[in-house]
Amino acid sequence: MASTSNSNLDTSTDEKVASSESESALETARRQLYHAAAHLDIDSNIVERLKYPKKVHEVTVPIKRDDGTVEVFTGYRAQHDSVRGPHKGGLRYHPEVTRDECVGLGMWMTWKCAVMDLPFGGAKGGVAVNPKELSSAEKERLTRRFAQELRDVIGPNHDIPAPDMGTDPQTMAWLMDAYSMQEGETTPGVVTGKPPVIGGSEGREEAPGRSVAIITQLVCEYYDRPLDETTVAIQGYGSVGANAARLLDDWGATIVAISDVNGAMYDPEGIDTASVPSHDEEPEAVTKYADNVISNDELLTLDVDVLIPAALGNVLTKENAEAVAADLVVEGANGPTTSTADSILAERDVAVIPDILANAGGVTVSYFEWLQDINRRAWSLERVNDELETEMQAAWRAIKTEFEQRDVTWRDAAYIVALSRIAEAHEARGLWP
Ligand code: GLU
């Protein structure tokens, strides 16, 4: 690679945000980029390019509410980098969606796809709306209109959305239908995470939780910790948390705590995870079924072997990182650890396995779905799960090599793997014109 100088990295911004706990996803994503770049001999011009998204689309999405009034929402699609392939990443419906959040989360998707060696770049989008305040018909109208507003910038070879916070397979089905109707041809490959009956993949919904479980098993093995002697606390019992909990439970681990927004169920003897409905099966059921309820904050500092934050971003902060008693943290959510908390946990030798590896099963099975759509040939669930396992193990091995050779954190090792691959692709392609 050409230059050894990282002189034009904006480290002043890096320091400025270091003291702030209200760091945005974009600030965190940039900081992580500088951190990884500092370990590598990368052309500083490439790092400079990667600080910025390629394009950010902002649209207004008017819908008719059920009472006949018109309301206008703002939607975004941030396309970060596409050097390795089409943009890929979720669409979220959440009141706090902003332009910068989409850019930061889009950057994470670039790293996540590169860590998994998928032929995709990164993107993220969403609408600033509270989906809980929309009826199903309103959500459908919002999705169809949003699809229309984004029609020129998405597509199976260009940018492929998927579910994220507040969106689900049904949302992807509406999006695929709206796009297909306008294009005049059924185009399943325009989105992933669809229901299998219209070209979705078996195993896609379970995949982020499955990859969290696979990585937890691999990291426990690495630290010589048999799963049947391992206790686990999981924040969140949605698709990621519940699937990870049930698989780890099946594989012998003792799940001592799970939670929903109202609090956590705690049983030091182990929870029968199959008997507690996930958020998708019955919203907010965890606390209803619990005999012993503790708070979500207490869950994060339980004396367990493995802590899996699988609900929201920024839950491990400078306020509670000293009190985290787990030896291993496996990030199920995107961005659950603030930068300050990350430094505190690193100083305390708590191993933090980053989101861009741990929950990457979602986008990996999205890739399998896209292949199935393009080839018009569905895979069996067994094949999906086997290939996911193979991909997770390959990514784990690549990261383990960097971790051992460079004596860095697991997060840095994952970023080093991702950034090297992206930088090499940029180097090979060069700058146009
Ligand atoms: N939204 C998911 C993520 O954050 C999946 C993205 C995808 O499948 O494209 O990884």
Side-chain angles (χ1 to χ4, degrees):
M1 285 169 206
S3 158
T4 53
S5 155
N6 282 335
S7 56
N8 63 353
L9 292 188
D10 185 359
T11 46
S12 59
T13 316
D14 199 7
E15 276 153 28
K16 195 173 76 218
V17 292
S19 58
S20 157
E21 273 289 280
S22 56
E23 186 174 275
S24 69
L26 177 56
E27 287 166 329
T28 310
R30 283 193 175 148
R31 176 203 304 286
Q32 290 164 342
L33 167 65
Y34 311 142
H35 222 263
H39 290 282
L40 292 170
D41 181 14
I42 291 181
D43 184 344
S44 56
N45 292 314
I46 292 175
V47 181
E48 180 64 14
R49 181 71 192 93
L50 290 171
K51 276 165 64 181
Y52 302 96
K54 197 164 137 185
K55 274 188 194 161
V56 184
H57 307 276
E58 178 175 334
V59 297
T60 48
V61 191
I63 61 157
K64 196 171 262 185
R65 301 298 299 247
D66 292 340
D67 66 6
T69 59
V70 169
E71 197 162 345
V72 182
F73 298 96
T74 306
Y76 306 91
R77 184 69 178 170
Q79 297 170 327
H80 175 242
D81 184 78
S82 62
V83 72
R84 292 168 47 88
H87 298 283
K88 187 82 193 80
L91 285 179
R92 53 174 59 176
Y93 289 173
H94 192 273
E96 277 151 38
V97 166
T98 62
R99 179 190 187 281
D100 272 8
E101 186 194 55
C102 293
V103 174
L105 294 169
M107 285 172 87
W108 278 333
M109 286 310 302
T110 304
W111 319 143
K112 201 184 280 192
C113 292
V115 157
M116 296 308 302
D117 215 0
L118 306 177
F120 288 138
K124 192 75 110 188
V127 179
V129 62
N130 185 350
K132 289 184 191 162
E133 288 169 7
L134 297 178
S135 68
S136 173
E138 289 171 335
K139 199 167 165 185
E140 177 173 351
R141 290 198 285 276
L142 181 86
T143 303
R144 289 184 181 281
R145 183 60 188 252
F146 190 36
Q148 170 59 22
E149 298 302 335
L150 292 184
R151 187 158 71 90
D152 292 341
V153 301
I154 59 173
N157 295 318
H158 192 58
D159 183 354
I160 306 125
D164 202 272
M165 277 165 73
T167 58
D168 58 16
Q170 178 61 69
T171 323
M172 295 305 116
W174 290 326
L175 219 151
M176 177 272 212
D177 183 64
Y179 183 89
S180 299
M181 294 313 287
Q182 292 291 349
E183 292 293 305
E185 58 186 35
T186 296
T187 315
V190 66
V191 291
T192 58
K194 305 174 291 293
V197 70
I198 50 164
S201 181
E202 296 296 340
R204 171 60 184 83
E205 262 199 284
E206 195 203 44
R210 178 171 284 271
S211 67
V212 168
I214 293 170
I215 292 299
T216 303
Q217 188 182 37
L218 289 169
V219 75
C220 284
E221 212 173 279
Y222 183 80
Y223 287 109
D224 287 329
R225 203 180 275 276
L227 262 194
D228 56 10
E229 291 169 25
T230 299
T231 54
V232 185
I234 303 183
Q235 185 182 49
Y237 211 58
S239 136
V240 184
N243 284 309
R246 288 173 183 171
L247 284 168
L248 288 168
D249 192 6
D250 281 354
W251 299 343
T254 307
I255 314 298
V256 299
I258 55 176
S259 73
D260 62 27
V261 284
N262 304 314
M265 171 187 286
Y266 176 53
D267 183 350
E269 298 304 315
I271 294 165
D272 174 13
T273 55
S275 70
V276 186
S278 70
H279 183 79
D280 301 335
E281 290 156 359
E282 185 187 332
E284 297 170 27
V286 172
T287 35
K288 266 190 249 163
Y289 283 69
D291 294 329
N292 186 11
V293 177
I294 60 170
S295 70
N296 261 298
D297 288 347
E298 285 171 302
L299 177 147
L300 295 172
T301 55
L302 281 176
D303 188 7
V304 288
D305 300 311
V306 183
L307 172 65
I308 303 181
L312 300 167
N314 291 341
V315 293
L316 296 176
T317 64
K318 68 172 182 228
E319 315 301 337
N320 60 10
E322 285 292 353
V324 168
D327 299 324
L328 305 170
V329 175
V330 180
E331 294 186 331
N334 285 324
T337 314
T338 67
S339 298
T340 320
D342 212 27
S343 310
I344 296 171
L345 292 169
E347 268 163 39
R348 294 186 49 224
D349 271 337
V350 177
V352 180
I353 311 300
D355 44 10
I356 59 166
L357 171 69
N359 71 27
V363 73
T364 303
V365 177
S366 275
Y367 169 56
F368 299 160
E369 181 171 329
W370 182 75
L371 290 177
Q372 293 170 70
D373 290 339
I374 287 172
N375 292 305
R376 297 289 199 267
R377 185 91 171 93
W379 298 5
S380 66
L381 177 60
E382 194 187 11
R383 177 169 176 194
V384 169
N385 286 344
D386 282 355
E387 298 224 11
L388 175 60
E389 174 100 33
T390 305
E391 299 295 336
M392 295 313 301
Q393 289 194 2
W396 167 254
R397 277 195 303 276
I399 291 169
K400 186 156 62 80
T401 303
E402 297 298 337
F403 176 78
E404 287 171 346
Q405 285 178 359
R406 295 178 190 265
D407 193 21
V408 290
T409 63
W410 288 102
R411 189 184 311 280
D412 283 342
Y415 275 77
I416 287 166
V417 169
L419 193 53
S420 314
R421 289 175 178 163
I422 296 160
E424 270 175 46
H426 273 287
E427 195 90 15
R429 284 183 61 167
L431 199 61
W432 190 88

